[in-house]
């Protein structure tokens, strides 16, 4: 899986297939793909989503079964359709027990979705995203495994943080750092570097070229820390424009948010588990948006330069409300101001709600809207 960039560039492979997230497929979660659709599209590859959502008809005790009745079953099936049609992804259903879909109403719903899926082929499939999420998979070789008990960063950047991005109210395109290095990624307003701990000189140069046109670059944990021959705080500063102090003794990554600057966001985010090392950003000429709970040192900071902005976050899981402020400040269109799962491209929009209440969707421009359900 860490060789995704090489796999995407294989002439011998046209299609990648996998089930969507098992960690976030409960009701109210996003059920997003376990791959990089925007990156695959750059290389003329097709992603097929394996539709193996368990319905209420799954056998007793079947793993990853999160629904209990017909209505809930239809919601996860419709969520999958919204995901594939907004990301230009194909799909197939997988009934692992020969019972998952054995209900006339489920089959009728699938038939309706198939009709609209066929119709979707006549409409533009262009992305509407102004946010790019960048993965640097090589970084995984420079920290301990997520099952080691000492790494509380890696897994949650791909699990919890992606979940919050899906609830931020703005769509995002998910790429690999190699795509940026090769100049393949179209311009975006915000670039989220999930795990840019290890970067080549060419990748650093590609990131440097983004520091213009009012763009915002968001970093997590240890951006640019790993060089081919050493670990370097200076390299972090060169990359982010922010100086850092390193603490080897492990402390928690729990952050107390500045609710005066971030109204409506949670009081705290992050994990109470100890992580080492810890990086303390220099808050000189920067806004402090959050402090380490244990030490009260700056943790989440935003620093503006002549024509770009750098935001450092010490670790996951940065809440959707904070992401929404970052995106809005950068001029990104916000479709939804509530923390619900949003799926949108130039022709389609869907939400899978995480909370009750009235939802107000703000379109990019006036347009007729049709309910396909």
């Amino acid at each position: 899986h860490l060789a995704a960039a090489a796999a995407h560039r294989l002439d011998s492979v046209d299609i990648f297939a996998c089930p969507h997230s098992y960690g976030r497929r409960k009701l109210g979660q996003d059920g997003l793909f376990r791959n990089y659709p925007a990156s695959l599209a750059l290389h003329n590859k097709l992603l097929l989503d394996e539709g193996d959502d368990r319905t209420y008809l799954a056998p007793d005790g079947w793993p990853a079964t999160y629904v209990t009745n017909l209505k809930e079953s239809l919601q996860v099936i419709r969520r999958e359709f919204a995901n594939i049609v907004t990301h230009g992804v194909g799909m197939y259903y997988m009934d692992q027990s020969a019972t998952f879909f054995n209900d006339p109403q489920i089959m009728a719903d699938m038939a309706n979705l198939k009709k609209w899926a066929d119709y979707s082929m006549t409409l533009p499939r262009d992305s509407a995203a102004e946010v790019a999420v960048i993965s640097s998979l090589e970084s995984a070789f420079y920290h301990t495994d997520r099952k080691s008990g000492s790494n509380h960063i890696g897994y949650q950047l791909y699990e919890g943080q992606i979940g919050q991005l899906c609830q931020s109210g703005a769509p995002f395109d998910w790429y690999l750092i190699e795509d940026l290095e090769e100049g393949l990624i179209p311009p975006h307003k915000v670039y989220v570097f999930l795990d840019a701990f290890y970067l080549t000189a060419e990748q650093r140069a590609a990131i440097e070229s983004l520091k213009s046109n009012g763009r915002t670059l968001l970093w997590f944990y240890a951006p640019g820390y790993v060089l081919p021959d050493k670990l370097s705080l200076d390299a972090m500063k060169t990359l982010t424009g922010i100086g850092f102090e390193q603490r080897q003794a492990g402390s928690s990554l729990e952050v107390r948010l500045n609710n005066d600057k971030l109204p409506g966001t949670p009081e705290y985010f992050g994990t109470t588990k100890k992580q080492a090392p810890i990086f303390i950003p220099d808050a000189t000429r920067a806004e402090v948006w959050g402090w380490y709970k244990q030490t009260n040192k700056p943790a989440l900071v935003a620093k503006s330069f002549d024509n770009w902005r750098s935001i450092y976050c010490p670790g996951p899981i940065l809440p959707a409300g904070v992401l929404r402020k970052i995106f809005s400040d950068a001029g990104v269109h916000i479709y939804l101001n509530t923390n619900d799962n949003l799926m949108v491209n130039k022709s389609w929009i869907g939400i899978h709600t995480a909370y009750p209440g009235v939802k107000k969707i703000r379109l990019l421009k006036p347009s007729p809207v049709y309910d396909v359900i």
Side-chain angles (χ1 to χ4, degrees):
H1 289 84
L2 294 176
H8 291 184
R9 287 158 176 78
L10 290 173
D11 292 335
S12 54
V13 179
D14 297 311
I15 299 172
F16 291 78
C18 57
H20 49 273
S21 168
Y22 278 103
R24 302 188 313 278
R25 57 166 63 185
K26 295 178 182 178
L27 287 165
Q29 296 180 319
D30 55 271
L32 194 63
F33 314 114
R34 297 194 295 178
N35 209 304
Y36 312 91
S39 178
L40 284 168
L42 292 177
H43 302 282
N44 297 313
K45 312 296 187 186
L46 177 65
L47 177 63
L48 290 182
D49 184 51
E50 182 174 284
D52 65 342
D53 280 307
R54 288 81 162 112
T55 71
Y56 79 104
L57 296 169
D60 290 342
W62 200 271
T65 302
Y66 304 118
V67 298
T68 60
N69 56 46
L70 174 63
K71 181 178 179 181
E72 293 176 349
S73 302
L74 293 177
Q75 294 310 314
V76 295
I77 290 170
R78 293 167 182 174
R79 174 185 65 194
E80 181 183 30
F81 173 78
N83 266 328
I84 66 155
V85 81
T86 54
H87 287 86
V89 170
M91 71 157 294
Y92 57 93
Y93 291 110
M94 174 175 276
D95 186 343
Q96 296 176 341
S97 69
T99 63
F100 284 6
F101 311 126
N102 190 20
D103 183 305
Q105 292 185 67
I106 290 177
M107 296 304 295
D109 210 69
M110 287 180 170
N112 179 57
L113 295 177
K114 175 63 166 63
K115 177 187 71 175
W116 287 106
D118 290 342
Y119 177 68
S120 77
M121 300 297 287
T122 69
L123 299 175
R125 289 171 164 249
D126 306 79
S127 169
E130 298 174 296
V131 176
V133 176
I134 312 291
S135 285
S136 307
L137 302 182
E138 188 79 9
S139 294
F141 296 111
Y142 295 90
H143 56 65
T144 56
D145 185 79
R146 66 184 179 91
K147 296 181 180 179
S148 66
S150 61
N151 174 7
H152 308 297
I153 301 290
Y155 178 69
Q156 283 302 338
L157 284 174
Y158 282 82
E159 187 60 46
Q161 195 59 63
I162 292 297
Q164 292 301 300
L165 281 159
C166 288
Q167 295 184 357
S168 67
F172 60 92
D173 290 329
W174 199 353
Y175 300 100
L176 299 176
I177 189 69
E178 290 81 0
D179 302 322
L180 183 67
E181 177 185 352
E182 294 175 16
L184 302 177
I185 299 178
H188 290 68
K189 294 179 179 178
V190 176
Y191 291 78
V192 179
F193 292 93
L194 274 187
D195 51 357
F197 315 147
Y198 170 82
L199 297 167
T200 66
E202 294 78 13
Q203 290 163 1
R204 292 171 188 268
I207 293 173
E208 199 67 28
S209 71
L210 299 176
K211 298 176 180 178
S212 61
N213 296 323
R215 296 189 185 99
T216 293
L217 278 55
L218 169 61
W219 324 90
F220 287 91
Y221 187 53
Y225 182 51
V226 183
L227 294 172
D229 58 341
K230 62 181 179 180
L231 306 176
S232 173
L233 294 178
D234 287 339
M236 290 178 68
K237 182 177 181 179
T238 300
L239 183 71
T240 66
I242 299 168
F244 291 90
E245 175 188 346
Q246 180 176 332
R247 299 281 178 89
Q248 283 301 117
S251 61
S252 85
L253 292 171
E254 194 170 15
V255 175
R256 174 173 57 88
L257 284 173
N258 186 340
N259 293 130
D260 291 336
K261 291 186 177 295
L262 304 168
T265 56
E267 187 176 1
Y268 297 100
F269 76 91
T271 177
T272 59
K273 297 178 181 178
K274 290 186 176 181
Q275 178 74 31
I278 294 289
F279 301 97
I280 301 170
D282 181 359
T284 304
R285 295 189 298 278
E287 293 183 56
V288 179
W289 287 3
W291 301 266
Y292 285 109
K293 182 181 178 182
Q294 284 188 325
T295 64
N296 209 36
K297 296 285 188 180
L300 176 65
V301 300
K303 189 171 183 179
S304 295
F305 298 88
D306 285 345
N307 206 12
W308 69 287
R309 190 184 213 188
S310 182
I311 299 178
Y312 172 76
C313 181
I317 303 169
L318 189 62
V322 181
L323 292 167
R324 194 152 46 245
K325 173 181 170 50
I326 293 170
F327 298 164
S328 181
D329 286 353
V332 172
H333 179 79
I334 303 299
Y335 290 81
L336 194 63
N337 274 306
T338 53
N339 295 342
D340 296 291
N341 300 291
L342 173 79
M343 299 145 282
V344 59
N345 67 3
K346 290 292 179 67
S347 299
W348 294 84
I349 189 166
I351 60 172
H352 180 74
T353 56
Y355 304 95
V358 174
K359 313 297 174 180
K360 185 175 182 179
I361 298 172
R362 180 171 167 259
L363 299 179
L364 192 59
K365 61 183 180 181
S367 173
V369 177
Y370 303 90
D371 182 356
V372 305
I373 304 299

